[in-house]
Amino acid sequence: MPMTLPPALDLSLDLLRCPTCRTRHLRPDHGALRCPVGHAFDIARHGYAGRLVVIRPTGRHLAELRGRVPAMVTVDPAKEQRLHRALNPFFEAVVTEQVEYLAVLSRPDVLDLVAMTPSARHVSRADLDEDGLLPDRVTVSVLATAYRPR
């Protein structure tokens, strides 16, 4: 019987790597995880359990949108240093991966995207109603770091 995972965990499997061949895009298979090459393994036995995974935006994240909507909040350049200071006493970074891709979006998708960002409180619907203002593609650019307890 196939494993059913919560959507958030299902998405995070794309960030993990097979411990044997290092490929991504792991999928559940009869109580284990399997990589595209076919290696199967137990998630806890191979060290993925008990990790804190932190995903945060890079300066390129949603750049096309921030370039057209001046009221959009930018990514704080000191975010990495603050994160390190907060986590370092308790966690050790094991691996960091950058994930970046171009997302093609409809106008309603872009409006929903703005509503999900910290900018939602700073941008009014009127700010977004100008015809041609919103891009139809945006860069998604994040860093994903797995930490283990010290």
Side-chain angles (χ1 to χ4, degrees):
M1 173 159 108
M3 267 170 67
T4 303
L5 297 173
L9 180 56
D10 191 42
L11 288 174
S12 69
L13 292 180
D14 284 343
L15 299 175
L16 300 177
R17 291 182 183 267
C18 171
T20 305
C21 66
R22 308 297 297 151
T23 59
R24 287 190 181 169
H25 308 294
L26 307 177
R27 290 292 162 239
D29 183 27
H30 302 291
L33 293 178
R34 187 171 299 279
C35 75
V37 175
H39 301 118
F41 60 95
D42 178 287
I43 193 168
R45 199 172 65 118
H46 285 86
Y48 288 116
R51 301 293 167 119
L52 169 66
V53 178
V54 178
I55 299 174
R56 66 263 183 219
T58 72
R60 292 178 38 84
H61 188 62
L62 307 181
E64 300 84 354
L65 189 55
R66 286 186 284 108
R68 293 190 184 182
V69 183
M72 290 282 295
V73 175
T74 61
V75 177
D76 181 359
K79 188 175 194 83
E80 287 299 305
Q81 291 80 15
R82 283 195 338 262
L83 181 65
H84 178 74
R85 275 195 313 271
L87 294 180
N88 193 46
F90 310 103
F91 294 95
E92 175 185 9
V94 177
V95 63
T96 298
E97 297 278 342
Q98 182 167 355
V99 178
E100 188 167 304
Y101 59 92
L102 192 62
V104 178
L105 304 170
S106 67
R107 180 176 173 76
D109 289 341
V110 175
L111 293 172
D112 288 346
L113 181 61
V114 172
M116 292 186 292
T117 69
S119 299
R121 292 182 281 172
H122 306 282
V123 178
S124 72
R125 182 66 181 235
D127 292 335
L128 304 173
D129 279 340
E130 185 180 321
D131 198 33
L133 176 69
L134 299 177
D136 61 352
R137 344 174 151 226
V138 296
T139 299
V140 175
S141 180
V142 297
L143 293 174
T145 302
Y147 294 87
R148 68 175 157 231
R150 288 199 180 271

